[in-house]
Amino acid sequence: MSQEHSQKSGFETRAIHAGYDPDPTTGAVIPPIYATSTYKQDGVGGLRGGYEYSRSGNPTRTALEGNLAALEEGDRAFAFASGLAAEDTLLRSLTRPGDHLVIPDDAYGGTFRLIDKVGGPWGLEHSPAAVSDLDAVRAAIRPGKTKLVWIETPTNPLLNIGDIEALAAIAHQAGALLVVDNTFASPYLQQPLTLGADVVVHSTTKYCGGHSDVVGGALVVRGLEVADKVGFHQNAMGAVPGPFDAFLTHRGLKTLAVRMDRHCDNAEKVVDFLVGHPQVAEVIYPGLESHPGHEVASRQMKRYGGIVSFRVTGGEEHALDVCDRTEVFTLGESLGGVESLIEHPGRMTHASVAGTDLEVPPDLIRLSVGIETAEDLVADLERALEPGRG
Ligand SMILES: *Cc1c(COP(=O)(O)O)cnc(C)c1O
């Protein structure tokens, strides 16, 4: 399907067709895995389709990138070997030593480590601000020095919501660009570029790939100036995915819409069960009217996603016990796959921020609600929360 049509069709049609036309020689409906590092030239410089060397371009990766650009409604997309490789490339494309960034005060741990521990010694400065607090973001900007306002929405694991449209206006007024890590929502639930963001970041390892079988990342950009810089750095830095990884990620994207709807259906059923349960102190889900970001989430997201966090009544011991007892929910890090996962952020994904301002409550549990039978998921949690067992 040509790029021209790919932006106008519905989301599900784009997910399945955008970025690839059946192979002209064989008619292959699915992009082949082009396991090749180089390409025959028809005379010096006579490139077929622009392909020269697979760090610079590979047809399997091109198909994935075309698909991602169409789903996020961006001008260009670039695929990487991991989400953090995408972030590293973006930072070096758009910032220089001495520049300043505003980052979420509850940023994904790997993003914080990259900006703080790798970017810091290289000369990048950063200030944390709550993505849900527009005044705090405004106050954190250093006029003339701040090049990027970097947000996640929803954030991890407390699911705070940032108002993308308002934050884009704040960033642009200060001469900065707005970067949105859209990993948790996926392009099906939220398209930040259509709300004024300049760059979307994905760990495609999560919902985009969706099957917990591949690590990958992507940048989708609005505006050809940013695209040229990122494209140059993608090739110059070389953190690209191999063709098999690109194939797996692209295969995952085709079913993104149906998977996300089922993730959301199941998450809503799990939330219904948890709310008011005597062993549960608080349920955190943007779909709940009690959630402070509910109104903004309702405006900018199609639905509220597959991640549910909750606090139990019996402190850390209780939370660890529940994590030990589930059987359908697998105890593990990561998120966004078809299988349900449970984890204890304080001891697992967020252990590195213990003792800092970013510390998460010790009685907190995070669920990545999968697409199994909803009743089995609820029954599993019911058993794990039953008092006096274990
Ligand atoms: C996992 C994740 C990343 C990092 O991506 P990798 O593919 O693990 O490198 C970045 N942002 C968010 C929100 C994530 O969940």
Side-chain angles (χ1 to χ4, degrees), residues 274-329:
L274 292 173
V275 169
H277 189 286
Q279 308 286 314
V280 174
E282 184 189 3
V283 182
I284 302 167
Y285 187 65
L288 289 170
E289 275 173 34
S290 59
H291 188 287
H294 178 69
E295 192 246 329
V296 174
S298 302
R299 231 189 303 131
Q300 68 190 20
M301 297 176 78
K302 190 179 170 85
R303 298 183 68 180
Y304 304 100
I307 308 296
V308 177
S309 293
F310 67 103
R311 300 175 71 175
V312 289
T313 52
E316 182 169 45
E317 279 310 307
H318 189 186
L320 294 173
D321 182 52
V322 172
C323 290
D324 272 348
R325 284 212 232 162
T326 56
E327 284 165 12
V328 185
F329 280 86

Side-chain angles (χ1 to χ4, degrees), residues 163-175:
D163 183 333
I164 297 170
E165 213 162 1
L167 288 161
I170 290 170
H172 293 160
Q173 206 169 17

Side-chain angles (χ1 to χ4, degrees), residues 195-206:
L195 298 169
D198 302 281
V199 180
V200 161
V201 173
H202 276 290
S203 168
T204 54
T205 313
K206 317 293 169 52

